[in-house]
Amino acid sequence: MTSENWVLSIIPSLLLLLLAWFARHQFGSWLFPSAFFGLYWALPLITSLILAPDFHFWPGAAWFILFFGWTVHVGTQLGWAIGNTNVKAIKRNSQARTFELFWGREILVTCTALGFLSVLITLQSRGYPLSMLLHPDLIPRVSRDFSIARYSEFYDPPLVARLLTAFVYLGSMIGGVWLGTGAEVPRRTRLLALLPFGPAGLLALIHTTRTSLLFPLIFFLATYFATLVLRQVNIGAGSVIRDPKKIAYASLLILAGVGIFIALQMLRDKLTLDDISITLDKTRVSLLGTPSAFSQWLEREWLNGRELGWGAYSFAGVYDVLGIAERQQGIYVEGAYVGAGEWSTNIYTVFRNLIDDFSLPCAIIVLFVIGVGAGFAHRKVSTGAYPSLFLLSLFYAFTLWSTVVSIFNYNSIILAWFIFFGYLRLGGLRLLRPVSSSRKREVVHDQCAPIARK
């Protein structure tokens, strides 16, 4: 990348960060949808430009992404304004609400058990017993076999195993809510929120796919963030910067995530420590190359007419099941060489999905509508309407996965979100508040639940 292109790319990236800060300042929280979206997209753009300046990046892509962020911001403002809610009135309620998750402990254990059953069925589909996972020397053999079968033999896990995977995702969603409710439970009990990551980790080890771990993590964070909005708990960068423990924990989590990412890459490609340079090069392209790949495609195609998919790229799994369009491995077959090396990536972000499906002008309209829905959901959740937590957490999940592809491409994920929505509609959350020092906590009316004393 030339120095001129770098400057022309960093300017809109910093403006996107400024837009996110403005939205945060206007609505008082980084969890406001447009602030969250702008901050999330500014970080990979700036990080890629700083840590991978050798990657080819078309500056026009950064300006388009800035416009996408502004479109989402306008949409969220409109969605928030629906109903003429007074923003300041909501901000004045500074006391955090506390919620109880109905059957939360039982659901987490059940989802985890069904996840382990998915692991067992997956292993048996290739003739392996579950006990093989107890022998570390045999794990690379199992992982390599599944990797070859998936890419060379077009192997798919049995339907039952794929359906059971939805409960791993559901468990992570419930876990995020469980951890975010603020209920007064022992710390060890709160750690039950992490149970679904057990089968998720085993599935990642078997398939050598990072998505097996990333999806539960994204859904966990999405519902956790939405629950904080429900409780009117704000998170700010200042509190994190001033707390050395939080900085240390965040650094350890990032290092652990990158380490797992590298380890799965080595298992998939059957690489050893002697090939660490190859692994690091491929990891660098995987982690930092997505904005570059999108920019290359956009530079080449944004003015060209193309046959639209009308949902085939954003809902690939559903279209495949219905026989409308066959889903390709990884959505896109062709890859983009983002740098001077030999490694390419076929990950072009959700923006390409939307443009391929609806054209660039209509993709902007879709993002505006998404912003309207997210702004409306944020307002409803802020006032205590917990069924709207489903829509708000779905927006967070959409944003967190937007650097890859559409979150709606996977049928097991859609199934998990439908179950989660049904759980909330049936009253899965109960609002608690202290009535007085001499009375017990009681469930109070919160737009959706009748008054009942515990």
Side-chain angles (χ1 to χ4, degrees):
M1 185 192 310
T2 64
S3 57
E4 181 182 359
N5 280 353
W6 192 91
V7 171
L8 291 176
S9 300
I10 198 68
I11 291 174
S13 303
L14 294 175
L15 289 176
L16 182 59
L17 185 62
L18 181 62
L19 175 64
W21 176 86
F22 175 77
R24 186 264 173 201
H25 180 74
Q26 182 179 8
F27 290 93
S29 173
W30 284 111
L31 292 178
F32 186 73
S34 59
F36 185 85
F37 185 90
L39 177 65
Y40 183 76
W41 264 101
L43 292 179
L45 286 175
I46 295 173
T47 302
S48 178
L49 290 170
I50 293 176
L51 298 183
D54 55 309
F55 287 179
H56 173 73
F57 189 87
W58 181 51
W63 290 98
F64 270 112
I65 293 174
L66 171 62
F67 184 71
F68 294 155
W70 179 81
T71 300
V72 172
H73 178 63
V74 174
T76 54
Q77 287 183 311
L78 178 61
W80 177 272
I82 296 175
N84 296 320
T85 298
N86 188 337
V87 178
K88 294 183 179 180
I90 293 178
K91 287 183 178 180
R92 280 198 296 267
N93 186 7
S94 58
Q95 183 177 7
R97 305 181 181 105
T98 301
F99 283 80
E100 179 186 51
L101 191 64
F102 184 67
W103 289 94
R105 185 183 293 106
E106 292 78 5
I107 293 175
L108 283 168
V109 173
T110 301
C111 287
T112 303
L114 293 175
F116 281 118
L117 182 58
S118 175
V119 173
L120 175 62
I121 295 173
T122 300
L123 284 171
Q124 289 181 343
S125 70
R126 299 288 296 176
Y128 296 110
L130 185 62
S131 59
M132 286 202 68
L133 296 177
L134 301 177
H135 302 279
D137 55 320
L138 297 178
I139 290 177
R141 172 187 164 188
V142 176
S143 301
R144 184 63 179 165
D145 177 58
F146 273 92
S147 180
I148 294 174
R150 185 173 64 257
Y151 290 105
S152 301
E153 304 172 13
F154 303 103
Y155 164 81
D156 272 329
L159 177 61
V160 175
R162 298 200 302 271
L163 291 175
L164 290 174
T165 304
F167 289 94
V168 178
Y169 304 149
L170 175 64
S172 63
M173 297 172 193
I174 299 297
V177 179
W178 174 270
L179 198 63
T181 53
E184 295 179 355
V185 295
R187 178 174 296 181
R188 286 180 296 178
T189 305
R190 291 170 66 83
L191 290 178
L192 288 174
L194 304 179
L195 276 180
F197 289 96
L202 292 179
L203 289 172
L205 195 62
I206 294 169
H207 294 301
T208 64
T209 52
R210 297 173 287 266
T211 54
S212 299
L213 269 175
L214 287 176
F215 283 146
L217 177 61
I218 284 173
F219 302 150
F220 178 89
L221 292 175
T223 55
Y224 175 72
F225 291 153
T227 306
L228 292 184
V229 175
L230 182 67
R231 295 181 55 219
Q232 295 187 347
V233 175
N234 290 330
I235 58 174
S239 61
V240 176
I241 294 174
R242 290 190 296 267
D243 192 334
K245 288 185 177 180
K246 291 182 179 179
I247 295 176
Y249 290 152
S251 301
L252 288 175
L253 286 175
I254 292 173
L255 290 175
V258 173
I260 293 172
F261 200 98
I262 293 174
L264 292 175
Q265 186 75 59
M266 295 178 70
L267 278 175
R268 174 188 294 183
D269 297 331
K270 204 176 181 179
L271 300 174
T272 64
L273 291 177
D274 295 332
D275 306 308
I276 191 64
S277 61
I278 297 175
T279 304
L280 292 177
D281 285 343
K282 297 185 72 172
T283 301
R284 183 167 174 262
V285 170
S286 298
L287 292 178
L288 303 175
T290 300
S292 174
F294 172 67
S295 76
Q296 291 185 42
W297 174 83
L298 193 64
E299 180 183 18
R300 185 177 65 250
E301 299 289 341
W302 77 285
L303 286 177
N304 296 337
R306 66 183 63 83
E307 184 179 355
L308 300 179
W310 298 113
Y313 295 95
S314 300
F315 301 93
V318 174
Y319 275 51
D320 186 52
V321 169
L322 297 177
I324 300 174
E326 183 180 358
R327 175 180 174 175
Q328 300 291 333
Q329 181 76 26
I331 308 301
Y332 297 107
V333 177
E334 78 280 4
Y337 290 89
V338 298
E342 58 180 307
W343 309 116
S344 63
T345 178
N346 64 339
I347 300 175
Y348 295 90
T349 78
V350 73
F351 300 135
R352 178 177 174 179
N353 291 165
L354 296 175
I355 295 171
D356 278 338
D357 273 335
F358 309 110
S359 77
L360 180 57
C362 289
I364 294 172
I365 296 174
V366 170
L367 288 171
F368 174 77
V369 172
I370 290 174
V372 171
F376 177 76
H378 189 276
R379 180 182 67 79
K380 295 288 287 184
V381 172
S382 298
T383 56
Y386 57 79
S388 296
L389 184 142
F390 161 78
L391 187 59
L392 182 60
S393 58
L394 191 58
F395 170 80
Y396 291 141
F398 170 84
T399 302
L400 290 170
W401 197 243
S402 62
T403 52
V404 186
V405 290
S406 168
I407 197 69
F408 306 109
N409 272 324
Y410 310 92
N411 295 331
S412 56
I413 289 176
I414 294 175
L415 175 61
W417 280 104
F418 269 117
I419 299 174
F420 182 63
F421 172 72
Y423 171 74
L424 293 177
R425 290 299 300 176
L426 292 174
L429 279 172
R430 294 175 177 177
L431 175 63
L432 302 175
R433 73 178 181 192
V435 181
S436 69
S437 58
S438 61
R439 296 173 61 187
K440 296 181 179 180
R441 291 179 179 269
E442 63 180 18
V443 181
V444 299
H445 180 64
D446 186 32
Q447 300 183 11
C448 301
I451 298 177
R453 188 180 300 275
K454 287 190 68 179

